[in-house]
Amino acid sequence: MEREGEEEKKKEGSYRYWVREATSDAAPPPPLPQKLTNNDVVAPNAPALGSLWNQAGTWEEKNLTKWATDRLKELLRSVGSLQFSSGKAEIVDVNRCVGDAFLVTVRNKKRVGYTYELSLKVQGEWSFEEETKKVKGSLDVPEFSFGELDDLEVDVKVSDDKELSQQLKQRIRLDLKQFLEPIRLKLGQFEQELKDR
């Protein structure tokens, strides 16, 4: 009898693991697996951005530098010529187009960006004192990036022609600075095309 009392005390005072005994307020049993039918499969409402392997759209970066460089050159060559009070000039070629462009998908949102430097070859004719002079030069855009086209600057360099006076060169530089607006428009078109990719 004493032993039974001791065992009962041990049971009451002893530690017991709560999962070992099922009670009415315990968690329900886990659901059993069921085979899905074609009707049970739901197509996603909106297609995920990015690759098939990244359905959650967590992080994915795509390099668009090749496309962007080719497209920038094509757009800038199409600027055409500008007429000035004493002459005209045109962008002949893109000497330098260096930079990178990318598309990043973060949390299923698409973001694009780029940073580039340009040097454009220009040539034109100016009439001074009943004499026409052919002039070559370059338009350098030191650095520009996505969303900063309002701050765009162009450095104008005129070839060292000893027949041109400093005053004439200054006038030509001011004329060539007028290419800034058409360049800005082409770069704005480039940004829009990059966003739409």
Side-chain angles (χ1 to χ4, degrees):
M1 186 92 168
E2 258 180 49
R3 275 194 153 191
E4 285 178 25
E6 282 179 26
E7 283 180 27
E8 213 170 289
K9 282 183 183 177
K10 273 187 180 180
K11 282 184 183 177
E12 288 175 15
S14 71
Y15 179 82
R16 72 178 164 189
Y17 192 62
W18 65 274
V19 175
R20 292 186 191 193
E21 292 180 19
T23 61
S24 61
D25 60 341
L32 297 173
Q34 296 177 351
K35 189 170 185 172
L36 294 176
T37 64
N38 287 339
N39 296 336
D40 295 331
V41 178
V42 178
N45 293 342
L49 293 173
S51 300
L52 289 174
W53 59 265
N54 190 12
Q55 292 297 310
T58 52
W59 176 272
E60 184 176 345
E61 187 169 338
K62 186 176 181 182
N63 187 347
L64 299 175
T65 303
K66 170 102 175 80
W67 173 85
T69 303
D70 293 343
R71 186 64 181 141
L72 274 172
K73 287 179 180 180
E74 182 182 336
L75 286 170
L76 292 169
R77 285 185 188 122
S78 71
V79 167
S81 63
L82 289 183
Q83 196 72 36
F84 310 114
S85 60
S86 59
K88 65 177 184 175
E90 66 178 328
I91 295 176
V92 179
D93 198 11
V94 179
N95 286 342
R96 191 165 159 251
C97 184
V98 179
D100 62 338
F102 51 88
L103 174 119
V104 177
T105 304
V106 181
R107 295 186 182 165
N108 235 359
K109 291 184 181 168
K110 185 169 72 168
R111 297 184 179 135
V112 293
Y114 67 85
T115 303
Y116 269 92
E117 293 179 15
L118 294 173
S119 180
L120 309 172
K121 182 179 178 181
V122 292
Q123 67 183 30
E125 293 180 348
W126 275 263
S127 298
F128 300 108
E129 301 166 359
E130 298 180 22
E131 197 177 331
T132 302
K133 301 266 186 191
K134 290 192 182 258
V135 178
K136 293 180 180 178
S138 68
L139 303 172
D140 296 334
V141 182
E143 185 177 355
F144 63 99
S145 57
F146 185 80
E148 297 179 358
L149 294 181
D150 292 338
D151 301 331
L152 196 66
E153 292 181 13
V154 173
D155 296 331
V156 178
K157 294 179 183 168
V158 178
S159 61
D160 290 331
D161 190 345
K162 294 178 178 146
E163 294 178 19
L164 297 175
S165 67
Q166 286 301 323
Q167 184 182 0
L168 243 43
K169 284 184 180 180
Q170 187 60 29
R171 189 169 168 188
I172 292 170
R173 281 190 196 98
L174 287 174
D175 284 346
L176 289 176
K177 283 230 181 226
Q178 293 179 34
F179 272 105
L180 178 62
E181 199 51 41
I183 290 171
R184 184 179 283 136
L185 289 173
K186 292 295 182 181
L187 295 179
Q189 181 183 343
F190 166 74
E191 272 193 11
Q192 190 57 49
E193 289 179 17
L194 186 64
K195 279 192 237 178
D196 295 341
R197 280 187 69 80

